[in-house]
Amino acid sequence: MKNITSKDEAFQARIDAGEKIEPKDWMPEKYRKTHIRQISQHAHSEIVGMLPEGNWITRTPTLRRKVGLLAKVQDEAGHGLYLYSAAETLGISRDELFHQLHTGKAKYSSIFNYPTMTWADIGAIGWLVDGAAIINQVMLTRTSFGPYARAMVRICKEESFHQRQGYEIMLTLCEGTPEQKAMAQDALNRWWWPSLMMFGPRDEESPNTEQSVKWKIKRKTNDELRQQFVDITVPQAKVLGITIPDPDLKWNEERQHYDFGEIDWDEFWQVVKGNGPCNKERLQARNDAWNNGAWVRNAARAHAEKRAAQAEVSEAG
Amino acid sequence: MKGNPIWEVFIRSKNGLEHRHVGSLHAEDAKMAMENARDVYTRRQEGVSIWVVESKNITASNPSENGEMFDPAKDKAYRHPTFYDLPDELEHI
């Protein structure tokens, strides 16, 4: 064993040995930057992800659906907060993170740039979008950066109700009138491909994957996770009795996996670049929320100052 | 933004167990930090008691000094029961 290793080698050795990295530990600058980018994108996705579903809170078909959806959207706010906290342990401020989101500098998951046009979309989002997110997040509970992994454990515990509430919505529609079932099919048709896109570009088009796997930020590649999602989801669609909109989808006995068709990568990159159906609307909504909420932040500050002043007076008296 | 500091949140999941660090949040003062902690970290009855501590009040050891900090305990096997050789037939000790 050689005695002198570079800091980078020593760091890699810790990762290889399965050690977790904690915020105050030395880390390569690129490891820090990659994590800030990835954790903050994840946080922004939770926050922006509240918008398409928030759209339906006032119009749920029943009170049962309303309490469920409301709780889910509240969870997403909570998940955003856990993740912003984890990002801040790497030395970036919350204000900077918000600034990056509001100016459009930061990315968030492209799936939230699609509109929720019918009630069935809320079912499809819970089933497919949360289903895809869970596959990614379960992998991330074992990621090498401690605060991120811990936030993921907490999030995964809460997320499984999200998917079940979505699937139950789909199931109810599929057991309903022909019109309701058609609505569920229409939602699946629109959300299937964007859900597959959530796993990111194909492995050969994803230059960061190799380094991310080496640092155990990711423990599986985009294509592996996508395959896992397809294999899990196809039988779930069969239970619903609706059809996945992919003529190339079929079981491959040899691979013991489903083969599936090619994603429209032009659409994927268009939405990433800001040209999806709702990119502008989502960004505007976040900016409006931030600007219209300024008085609340100011009031909290004024209230804290008043309370501090009163405490001083009573101590002096 | 000035103010709005970070607070660390600790939760006792049930009586008999210790408070455990669960994460952090921003708040203008301790009372609001407590209210936020309840909403963010105990939506599913995760706790029976919450502590919030402003992060700047925590003094943390420095991982780059872990050697001098923790290594001295490494070679003190005599602090562990297995260090002492006793006959196998001996019981309750």
Side-chain angles (χ1 to χ4, degrees):
Chain A
M1 204 177 111
K2 57 180 174 173
N3 292 323
I4 301 163
T5 53
S6 73
K7 279 187 159 183
D8 285 292
E9 284 169 15
F11 181 81
Q12 188 61 50
R14 291 186 62 196
I15 301 268
D16 292 343
E19 273 187 55
K20 296 286 178 193
I21 306 303
E22 293 295 341
K24 285 173 181 290
D25 294 349
W26 184 88
M27 60 187 82
E29 209 39 43
K30 187 154 179 267
Y31 181 89
R32 179 185 303 276
K33 286 214 172 99
T34 302
H35 263 100
I36 289 177
R37 195 186 66 239
Q38 188 176 327
I39 301 172
S40 64
Q41 279 180 8
H42 199 156
H44 298 326
S45 300
E46 296 283 354
I47 298 302
V48 177
M50 292 194 282
L51 297 170
E53 292 181 292
N55 181 32
W56 279 91
I57 289 174
T58 56
R59 294 177 288 159
T60 56
T62 65
L63 188 57
R64 186 173 188 276
R65 293 287 182 230
K66 187 173 181 135
V67 291
L69 185 59
L70 199 51
K72 178 179 192 289
V73 173
Q74 284 173 332
D75 273 353
E76 277 148 15
H79 296 174
L81 293 174
Y82 306 156
L83 288 162
Y84 282 129
S85 293
E88 283 179 292
T89 65
L90 291 164
I92 188 167
S93 72
R94 184 75 60 105
D95 284 329
E96 176 59 24
L97 291 167
F98 285 159
H99 181 73
Q100 289 177 353
L101 175 63
H102 297 150
T103 54
K105 192 184 158 213
K107 296 270 183 261
Y108 54 85
S109 181
S110 282
I111 193 83
F112 302 118
N113 290 317
Y114 290 87
T116 41
M117 300 192 300
T118 72
W119 169 248
D121 288 9
I122 299 305
I125 288 180
W127 173 36
L128 300 171
V129 176
D130 287 84
I134 287 169
I135 285 180
N136 193 39
Q137 290 174 163
V138 165
M139 169 191 75
L140 289 169
T141 60
R142 298 187 299 126
T143 193
S144 62
F145 185 56
Y148 194 25
R150 291 193 287 274
M152 279 301 124
V153 169
R154 184 171 282 277
I155 287 172
C156 283
K157 270 188 206 162
E158 300 181 351
E159 199 92 23
S160 93
F161 120 71
H162 296 185
Q163 199 190 10
R164 290 174 68 102
Q165 70 91 40
Y167 195 86
E168 198 193 72
I169 291 170
M170 294 299 274
L171 197 60
T172 307
L173 289 170
C174 289
E175 288 169 349
T177 63
E179 289 83 359
Q180 286 172 322
K181 189 165 183 184
M183 206 172 159
Q185 178 67 57
D186 168 63
L188 173 59
N189 292 348
R190 283 181 291 106
W191 290 93
W192 175 253
W193 292 104
S195 298
L196 293 192
M197 293 178 199
M198 284 176 70
F199 297 98
R202 299 194 64 127
D203 292 347
E204 59 267 30
E205 307 288 324
S206 176
N208 296 327
T209 293
E210 194 188 341
Q211 182 66 71
S212 289
V213 169
K214 201 172 161 219
W215 276 336
K216 295 185 184 171
I217 297 173
K218 296 175 76 140
R219 318 211 42 152
K220 288 181 185 172
T221 68
N222 295 353
D223 286 333
E224 286 169 346
L225 293 167
R226 190 165 15 240
Q227 181 72 59
Q228 195 183 334
F229 174 74
V230 171
D231 289 348
I232 287 175
T233 310
V234 172
Q236 295 173 348
K238 282 185 186 144
V239 172
L240 293 173
I242 48 180
T243 311
I244 288 175
D246 179 358
D248 297 324
L249 184 77
K250 63 168 187 294
W251 178 252
N252 183 324
E253 191 60 36
E254 198 179 316
R255 289 202 309 129
Q256 290 292 302
H257 288 294
Y258 282 95
D259 291 337
F260 53 97
E262 192 61 36
I263 288 169
D264 180 350
W265 294 109
D266 285 341
E267 177 182 327
F268 172 82
W269 289 112
Q270 281 301 320
V271 183
V272 169
K273 283 176 189 147
N275 302 319
C278 302
N279 293 58
K280 286 193 182 69
E281 186 186 328
R282 301 296 184 231
L283 208 55
Q284 189 61 48
R286 284 319 308 160
N287 274 285
D288 289 348
W290 178 254
N291 295 330
N292 296 337
W295 71 270
V296 180
R297 296 191 294 279
N298 292 336
R301 170 79 41 86
H303 193 58
E305 281 167 0
K306 189 181 83 181
R307 253 189 323 226
Q310 283 169 346
E312 245 174 64
V313 169
S314 67
E315 263 175 42
Chain B
M1 187 164 53
K2 217 173 123 264
N4 206 27
I6 300 182
W7 301 74
E8 301 299 328
V9 181
F10 300 82
I11 291 178
R12 184 202 298 288
S13 58
K14 61 179 185 183
N15 277 5
L17 297 177
E18 67 278 61
H19 285 78
R20 250 182 106 170
H21 184 244
V22 294
S24 55
L25 47 77
H26 285 264
E28 290 289 349
D29 66 10
K31 190 159 185 286
M32 286 184 251
M34 182 61 78
E35 290 158 358
N36 291 353
R38 192 210 53 167
D39 291 345
V40 177
Y41 291 103
T42 63
R43 288 193 301 284
R44 290 179 177 79
Q45 296 184 289
E46 286 91 340
V48 295
S49 167
I50 302 175
W51 291 346
V52 290
V53 183
E54 202 178 328
S55 303
K56 69 171 187 195
N57 293 326
I58 291 179
T59 306
S61 64
N62 184 346
S64 68
E65 292 163 5
N66 273 8
E68 54 262 53
M69 191 81 171
F70 302 112
D71 283 356
K74 245 186 199 168
D75 58 358
K76 296 181 175 57
Y78 49 86
R79 285 179 175 157
H80 297 277
T82 49
F83 179 76
Y84 300 92
D85 294 325
L86 300 180
D88 288 346
E89 63 268 27
L90 193 68
E91 285 183 329
H92 307 299
I93 181 165

